[in-house]
Amino acid sequence: MKANLYTHKNRWKWALAILAILIISASLWYTSKLVKTIAKQETRQVKMWAAAMEQQAVMMKSTEEFFNKVSEQEQLRVDLLANAYRKVVDVSNNENIGIYLSIIQNNISIPLIITDGHDNIIISSNLPENQKGKTEFDTEMKQAYSKFEPIKIDPGYGTVQYLYYNESNIYTDLKSVLEEMNRHFVEEITLNSVGAPVIITDASQNAVLSFGNLDSLQMQDSNFVAHQLDIMRAENDPLEIDFIDTGKAFIFYRTSDLVHQTRYFPVILIIVFALFLLIAYMLFSSARRSEQNQVWAGMAKETAHQLGTPLSSLMGWIELMKLQDEPFVGTQEMEKDIERLQIVTDRFSKIGSVPVLEPTNIVYLIEDTMDYLQKRFSKKFEFEINLPKDTLIIPLIPSLFRWVLENLTKNAVDAMGDHGKITVNLIEEGNELFIDISDTGKGITKSNVKQVFTPGYTSKKRGWGLGLSLAKRIIEDYHKGKIFVKQSVVGQGTTFRIVLKNGKN
């Protein structure tokens, strides 16, 4: 019945474990689905951003093409203006110069300066504020008007003049606006890239013009830059754009680090959750063991206290029986049993107390304990005790160690039924002692071998399942040794092994 109760308890543990696994699996599935949704949404945003940047790049390219056409038109206007002025000053020309004068007078955008051969300014128009009012074509002005070759004009009366001109104010303003647009375009790419790392390179796809959402210190490392560019190429094709000043450029981009990090979030979550469960289980188990220890220690001490009173009375009655004229023949054996009960009482009183180990001859202790037990079992049970002849002194709590031997022997007898053989071997190897207690009983199944020391487990119809559990605590907690099932074969028997230090350095 107790075995069934333990089996039910074990099934409940497995059921709870399976339920916990299902809850964790459901949480992981939902978290993984959520992470994938977030990743898809951000990837979609990055794609939308890239598409918008591509459209803006097309618009920028169209604007540049328009600007180039305007530039060409402005250049034609400059050439037309220069030719018109040449016609006006050409004294040999008999054509109607009214139309040329009209062209010159309607010039409101092209800066021009006409000088004589000594760099004196004869005529000027549409000059910037810092050049207006000057009478000499100085070095600074020559540098400002050095983009185009001056037009040589010969009026025909021995004086040569030079017409200097520059890009029209309309062209300059358009160029300034376009450069500002380019600057804002680059800033928008690098700063407003929805969290996506971006690198803008030149036409060689190696030199970095600008970047965003990347560590500035790491971007100083050429290997890091090359690695990032490889990642970006693998994810997306770069966007190609044309700038007026720098020419062709490429925009490289990839999904943000957040997307990559969220992919590992379910794994991190399960690790944290598992650690939390493990710590909670360890705390719960520790608290439960502590509570069990307190209950068992309290029960043991109370049992020892309750046994003390009837033992004292029995000892008194035996003394009275000895004083009779014809003493009872069983008095001597009764004294031995009372002495044994006193030992049991002493054992109970030591449970839960601070262990005090005593130098003990373990050979004599085993021999004496097994001799006592052998006399109290049926003659159908054979005992084989194999002990060394030498004395072996090790630190023990004799009363508690006897308890372990008795418990293992009684369990062996119960496992064998009405007959069988118990073998006890004491082996010394190095600094360890091995005590093997074997029986020829029914054995233990492999599934139950690990459970025999668990509190509550028993195969008996009447039993609490505490004997082996207490034996394990006595050996491991008090004597710092080990106890385990060395081997067990169903239908052939079981061997328990106790391992102790022999006290030698």
Side-chain angles (χ1 to χ4, degrees):
M1 181 178 178
K2 291 291 182 180
N4 291 335
L5 289 174
Y6 181 82
T7 302
H8 291 322
K9 181 180 178 182
N10 218 24
R11 287 175 181 173
W12 270 108
K13 288 183 178 179
W14 279 108
L16 290 175
I18 292 173
L19 180 61
I21 292 173
L22 290 175
I23 292 174
I24 293 174
S25 300
S27 300
L28 287 175
W29 174 80
Y30 179 75
T31 305
S32 178
K33 183 179 179 181
L34 184 62
V35 167
K36 288 180 179 178
T37 302
I38 294 174
K40 287 182 180 178
Q41 183 176 358
E42 181 159 338
T43 303
R44 185 164 53 251
Q45 289 178 345
V46 171
K47 294 293 184 182
M48 291 173 62
W49 167 84
M53 290 301 100
E54 191 170 14
Q55 290 296 325
Q56 193 164 349
V58 172
M59 292 178 61
M60 289 292 298
K61 188 173 183 179
S62 300
T63 304
E64 289 181 350
E65 291 176 353
F66 172 75
F67 176 81
N68 291 332
K69 291 180 180 179
V70 171
S71 175
E72 292 174 0
Q73 293 295 324
E74 287 296 306
Q75 185 62 43
L76 291 175
R77 288 185 59 207
V78 170
D79 294 339
L80 179 63
L81 181 66
N83 289 329
Y85 191 84
R86 188 180 291 108
K87 292 289 185 180
V88 170
V89 298
D90 186 2
V91 296
S92 64
N93 184 16
N94 295 323
E95 299 178 10
N96 187 357
I97 62 173
I99 187 172
Y100 299 112
L101 289 174
S102 176
I103 292 173
I104 295 173
Q105 291 172 354
N106 290 331
N107 171 38
I108 58 174
S109 62
I110 301 175
L112 60 84
I113 297 175
I114 298 177
T115 66
D116 58 15
H118 302 288
D119 291 334
N120 296 314
I121 297 176
I122 302 174
I123 299 173
S124 65
S125 63
N126 303 318
L127 299 183
E129 292 296 329
N130 63 337
Q131 295 178 0
K132 288 181 179 180
K134 286 187 176 183
T135 59
E136 183 182 356
F137 193 64
D138 55 20
T139 304
E140 181 180 353
M141 296 182 72
K142 287 180 180 180
Q143 186 175 359
Y145 288 83
S146 62
K147 185 174 182 179
F148 303 104
E149 288 290 332
I151 298 174
K152 185 177 180 181
I153 302 173
D154 188 358
Y157 44 81
T159 302
V160 178
Q161 298 178 353
Y162 296 92
L163 187 152
Y164 293 89
Y165 62 97
N166 218 336
E167 296 172 337
S168 73
N169 294 333
I170 295 176
Y171 175 85
T172 304
D173 292 341
L174 283 175
K175 184 178 180 181
S176 176
V177 170
L178 190 60
E179 288 176 349
E180 187 69 13
M181 288 175 63
N182 287 336
R183 185 177 65 81
H184 283 296
F185 179 52
V186 172
E187 289 180 355
E188 186 175 356
I189 293 173
T190 55
L191 299 180
N192 301 319
S193 52
V194 294
V198 174
I199 298 178
I200 302 177
T201 69
D202 62 3
S204 67
Q205 299 188 5
N206 293 318
V208 177
L209 302 179
S210 183
F211 63 89
N213 296 313
L214 289 168
D215 186 82
S216 57
L217 293 178
Q218 290 182 319
M219 286 297 294
Q220 296 177 8
D221 184 0
S222 58
N223 293 328
F224 176 80
V225 174
H227 179 64
Q228 290 296 317
L229 288 175
D230 290 339
I231 295 175
M232 293 176 179
R233 285 191 190 97
E235 282 196 23
N236 306 289
D237 293 329
L239 304 179
E240 182 180 337
I241 57 176
D242 287 316
F243 293 119
I244 293 177
D245 295 332
T246 58
K248 184 181 292 185
F250 293 91
I251 303 174
F252 292 85
Y253 64 98
R254 62 173 173 83
T255 52
S256 70
D257 294 331
L258 177 62
V259 174
H260 295 284
Q261 292 170 1
T262 51
R263 293 173 182 170
Y264 301 102
F265 180 73
V267 178
I268 297 174
L269 179 64
I270 192 172
I271 292 174
V272 173
F273 197 65
L275 287 175
F276 174 77
L277 288 179
L278 179 62
I279 294 172
Y281 176 77
M282 292 175 62
L283 291 175
F284 175 76
S285 298
S286 177
R288 185 182 62 180
R289 283 196 301 268
S290 177
E291 185 179 355
Q292 288 176 348
N293 290 338
Q294 292 177 0
V295 171
W296 289 344
M299 290 177 61
K301 291 182 180 297
E302 181 63 21
T303 301
H305 176 72
Q306 295 295 334
L307 286 174
T309 301
L311 279 176
S312 298
S313 298
L314 287 173
M315 292 174 65
W317 285 111
I318 289 175
E319 291 299 324
L320 289 175
M321 291 172 68
K322 287 181 180 180
L323 296 175
Q324 292 181 1
D325 296 334
E326 294 183 5
F328 179 61
V329 293
T331 302
Q332 187 175 2
E333 291 301 319
M334 290 175 65
E335 284 184 328
K336 291 183 180 179
D337 288 334
I338 288 177
E339 182 181 352
R340 199 67 187 173
L341 286 173
Q342 287 179 323
I343 294 174
V344 172
T345 303
D346 181 58
R347 293 172 183 171
F348 279 113
S349 65
K350 289 182 178 179
I351 296 295
S353 303
V354 178
V356 179
L357 303 178
E358 305 172 6
T360 305
N361 182 2
I362 191 171
V363 176
Y364 171 77
L365 186 144
I366 294 175
E367 185 178 15
D368 183 64
T369 302
M370 300 311 295
D371 182 64
Y372 171 83
L373 293 173
Q374 187 174 4
K375 292 178 180 179
R376 279 154 178 76
F377 289 126
S378 170
K379 300 297 182 181
K380 293 182 179 180
F381 293 102
E382 179 185 351
F383 282 75
E384 181 182 340
I385 313 299
N386 302 312
L387 302 173
K389 296 180 179 179
D390 298 336
T391 298
L392 294 176
I393 305 298
I394 65 171
L396 290 175
I397 305 175
S399 59
L400 293 183
F401 194 79
R402 286 179 185 270
W403 191 356
V404 174
L405 294 176
E406 291 177 12
N407 189 279
L408 293 176
T409 304
K410 290 178 181 179
N411 282 347
V413 171
D414 291 338
M416 291 186 292
D418 57 356
H419 70 282
K421 181 179 179 181
I422 295 176
T423 304
V424 179
N425 294 312
L426 175 59
I427 305 168
E428 182 181 15
E429 290 184 3
N431 63 344
E432 290 184 326
L433 293 177
F434 301 103
I435 304 167
D436 293 339
I437 301 176
S438 306
D439 62 61
T440 57
K442 57 187 178 182
I444 306 171
T445 61
K446 290 184 178 180
S447 60
N448 290 329
V449 165
K450 295 182 179 179
Q451 310 297 335
V452 294
F453 294 103
T454 305
Y457 175 84
T458 179
S459 59
K460 304 174 186 177
K461 292 183 178 180
R462 294 183 179 180
W464 292 99
L466 299 177
L468 288 176
S469 175
L470 287 173
K472 185 178 179 68
R473 289 174 181 271
I474 290 170
I475 295 299
E476 295 185 353
D477 295 346
Y478 289 171
H479 294 88
K480 306 305 178 185
K482 298 178 183 178
I483 182 172
F484 54 90
V485 178
K486 181 183 178 183
Q487 71 175 47
S488 184
V489 179
V490 176
Q492 296 183 17
T494 302
T495 299
F496 282 87
R497 166 165 283 190
I498 300 173
V499 182
L500 297 172
K501 298 294 182 181
N502 64 8
K504 297 179 181 179
N505 294 328

